[in-house]
Amino acid sequence: AMEIQNSAQSSEEASGSFQFEEVEFVPSFLKDPQTKLYAEKWGLKDYSYFKRFRFDEFYTADQKESFFRDFFLSPAVQKSVGVSTGHGSWAQVGAVRSVKATELSCSVTNMSFFEKIKEMEDPVVVRPSGAIAQCLEEWVGDVPVADQLRRLLLLEESEHYEEFDAGERRELILHVLRRLAVGGGMCQHEDEVTAYLDVTKCATCTVQYLCICIYNIDVYRYIYECCRCGVVECCRCGVVECCRCGVVECCRCGV
């Protein structure tokens, strides 16, 4: 989550030591035909996008504020990253004075994290068949909440909101599920939870290896494997290879 404050200050005056360059990137899970259909059905195709950038300096956690400020001030980012102003319409981020970033946790890597959703009662959130229990519609801002899953994810007034504590609600995997369940402006919501969980699994795998390296000081030790296609990528050299034999090793640097 980020809060951006606009300013007339130029990027040349405010930019720090980090320089960014966009890298061509299409998430592997969005190449799957069924996932692409879900993205259209949930209104994500026109209201969201994935971008990937490389930067030229070693990152440490105490540089978080300057890192994100430099990121949004970068000419490459200003050119490529937009803010939604309506259906299929995007505007530039514009000048930035400060950025507030909230660090998420990537410690949960197993879908068993969501098993308790299926066990919640009074009211039921997900029925044994996988069907999502419906409820009277209410609104959170511009988001309609008409089922118990979205109610659990969005409303503190939900009877089950505290089933996920503050630490669990900082988990990347829960943020991914919430964004899928909420959808975009023209979202057709699912009647069953299975599709949300399947896409959450694949999307989290992709997003996690892109995000976790920013926050982990021992970044060079990590290689991430896609749970569907088996492609692994070294976060140091960026070289990818298909891992079919179970050996996870960078084909260039041997990490």
Side-chain angles (χ1 to χ4, degrees):
M2 298 183 185
E3 297 176 9
I4 305 172
Q5 298 179 0
N6 290 333
S7 169
Q9 190 175 24
S10 70
S11 60
E12 289 80 11
E13 293 172 334
S15 181
S17 59
F18 292 100
Q19 302 295 321
F20 296 87
E21 178 185 357
E22 185 173 5
V23 179
E24 185 176 350
F25 174 63
V26 178
S28 58
F29 73 95
L30 284 182
K31 297 176 183 178
D32 175 68
Q34 184 60 58
T35 303
K36 291 175 67 174
L37 289 176
Y38 285 139
E40 295 181 8
K41 181 180 180 182
W42 299 340
L44 299 174
K45 180 179 179 182
D46 295 326
Y47 288 89
S48 60
Y49 55 82
F50 281 86
K51 298 287 185 178
R52 184 178 185 181
F53 297 85
R54 64 164 60 100
F55 56 94
D56 62 347
E57 298 289 339
F58 184 77
Y59 174 85
T60 58
D62 60 349
Q63 296 173 292
K64 180 171 64 175
E65 183 177 345
S66 61
F67 177 88
F68 284 109
R69 185 183 65 248
D70 290 349
F71 176 79
F72 285 108
L73 286 170
S74 164
V77 174
Q78 289 275 339
K79 180 180 178 180
S80 180
V81 173
V83 178
S84 178
T85 58
H87 181 67
S89 178
W90 300 86
Q92 285 188 323
V93 174
V96 175
R97 183 177 71 240
S98 65
V99 178
K100 180 180 179 181
T102 301
E103 183 176 350
L104 301 181
S105 172
C106 298
S107 63
V108 175
T109 58
N110 194 300
M111 294 301 291
S112 61
F113 179 72
F114 294 117
E115 283 300 311
K116 59 183 174 182
I117 292 179
K118 303 174 184 179
E119 300 170 356
M120 294 177 183
E121 299 179 345
D122 299 324
V124 169
V125 176
V126 176
R127 305 187 189 283
S129 63
I132 301 170
Q134 304 299 299
C135 64
L136 294 176
E137 185 176 79
E138 52 189 312
W139 290 77
V140 178
D142 295 329
V143 179
V145 177
D147 62 55
Q148 293 292 349
L149 178 61
R150 277 176 285 160
R151 183 176 171 81
L152 163 68
L153 295 172
L154 296 174
L155 283 173
E156 293 186 19
E157 294 80 7
S158 167
E159 294 82 352
H160 300 302
Y161 188 85
E162 294 183 355
E163 294 285 349
F164 289 102
D165 62 32
E168 291 174 320
R169 286 187 174 272
R170 289 181 56 252
E171 289 292 341
L172 172 65
I173 196 169
L174 188 63
H175 280 253
V176 172
L177 175 62
R178 186 172 67 182
R179 281 153 177 73
L180 296 178
V182 170
M186 302 294 290
C187 181
Q188 301 176 52
H189 295 101
E190 295 294 319
D191 294 325
E192 297 190 358
V193 75
T194 303
Y196 291 136
L197 295 179
D198 286 347
V199 179
T200 294
K201 180 179 180 180
C202 294
T204 301
C205 179
T206 298
V207 175
Q208 195 169 39
Y209 85 73
L210 294 174
C211 294
I212 194 171
C213 60
I214 294 176
Y215 295 109
N216 200 302
I217 296 175
D218 295 325
V219 60
Y220 294 160
R221 295 190 297 111
Y222 289 88
I223 298 175
Y224 302 92
E225 180 175 352
C226 173
C227 55
R228 175 175 292 184
C229 70
V231 172
V232 297
E233 177 164 353
C234 173
C235 53
R236 175 162 60 182
C237 71
V239 174
V240 296
E241 63 178 4
C242 182
C243 180
R244 298 185 178 182
C245 64
V247 176
V248 182
E249 181 174 330
C250 176
C251 52
R252 178 181 294 177
C253 67
V255 173

